[in-house]
Amino acid sequence: MTGSARREELAAGLARVRERVAAAARSAGRDPGEVTLCVVTKTWPLSDVVALRALGVVDLGENRVAEAADKAAGLASLPVPAGVPAPRWHQLGTVQTNKAAATVAWADVVQSVDRPRVVTALARAAERAGRGVRPVEVLLQVSLDGDPARGGADPADVPALADLVAAAPALRLGGVMAVAPLGAEPAAAFARLHVVAEALRAQHPAARTVSAGMSGDLEAAVEAGSTCVRVGAAVLGSRVSAPRPPGSR
Ligand SMILES: *Cc1c(COP(=O)(O)O)cnc(C)c1O
């Protein structure tokens, strides 16, 4: 596919997703401007990130540290498109404690924090990296299916984790994140997340982000109060059936 055909494809995907988000917000009586679109660029090449930036995308999601660091550095070496704010990179994948320093080197937001050891490792790494002036935003990933293998903290553990993040000078507690359970009704799960998010906000009023909703379930998430949808396939295409062109990264 030529670069311009790909750009058109991305523009069309982005327009469709923005319209889906706006329609879901309107039908829930919400302002579409309350919902941030984080475009998940994992597995896709830097050229796609560059095209998305030119289309006004600010928030970019990744899940592998080395791949994300490469793309963030590649993007940083190029001029910022006129009228588009600086990019915000989100880590969506599980954070290994031995990769905390490598993560804070590129991530503005870490959405997948679910254990005290990860908070401690990120806090130390962020402090060493001098991030006290521009703290790393942390979202607490909440398990909605009680299956620890899929990641996420038990809702009962969220208050203590939140206090741990709030006490770290180089971290900023942003809110919560969740992935809907496989094979279940997403609306019920997102309603449970909303309860956790409200309790967190009562404890930490600035922690207002609720990151929920992906390509397949963003309407249910927005209707349940999501303020950040994380969308990959519906913008960029299927990660499985669209192999990367040779030589790209
Ligand atoms: C990959 C990923 C997404 C995007 O999923 P799509 O189905 O491609 O929209 C969202 N959230 C997380 C945590 C992911 O890992």
Side-chain angles (χ1 to χ4, degrees), residues 38 40 42 62-63 92-93 111-112 141 177-179 211 213-216 229-235 237 239:
C38 176
V40 183
K42 65 186 182 198
E62 289 282 335
N63 68 348
L92 308 178
Q111 294 211 2
S112 43
Q141 184 178 350
M177 179 273 240
V179 179
S211 172
M214 317 195 335
S215 292
V229 295
R230 311 174 306 266
V231 181
V235 173
R239 286 181 292 276

Side-chain angles (χ1 to χ4, degrees), residues 178-202:
V179 179
L182 291 172
E185 183 50 53
F190 292 140
R192 288 201 292 285
L193 179 65
H194 184 70
V195 173
V196 177
E198 289 288 292
L200 179 67
R201 204 181 318 182

Side-chain angles (χ1 to χ4, degrees), residues 217-230:
D217 58 17
L218 68 86
E219 283 83 1
V222 169
E223 277 158 27
S226 170
T227 68
C228 173
V229 295
R230 311 174 306 266

Side-chain angles (χ1 to χ4, degrees), residues 4 56 68 96 100 121 133 149 169 181 184 216 224:
S4 69
Q96 287 158 300
V133 280

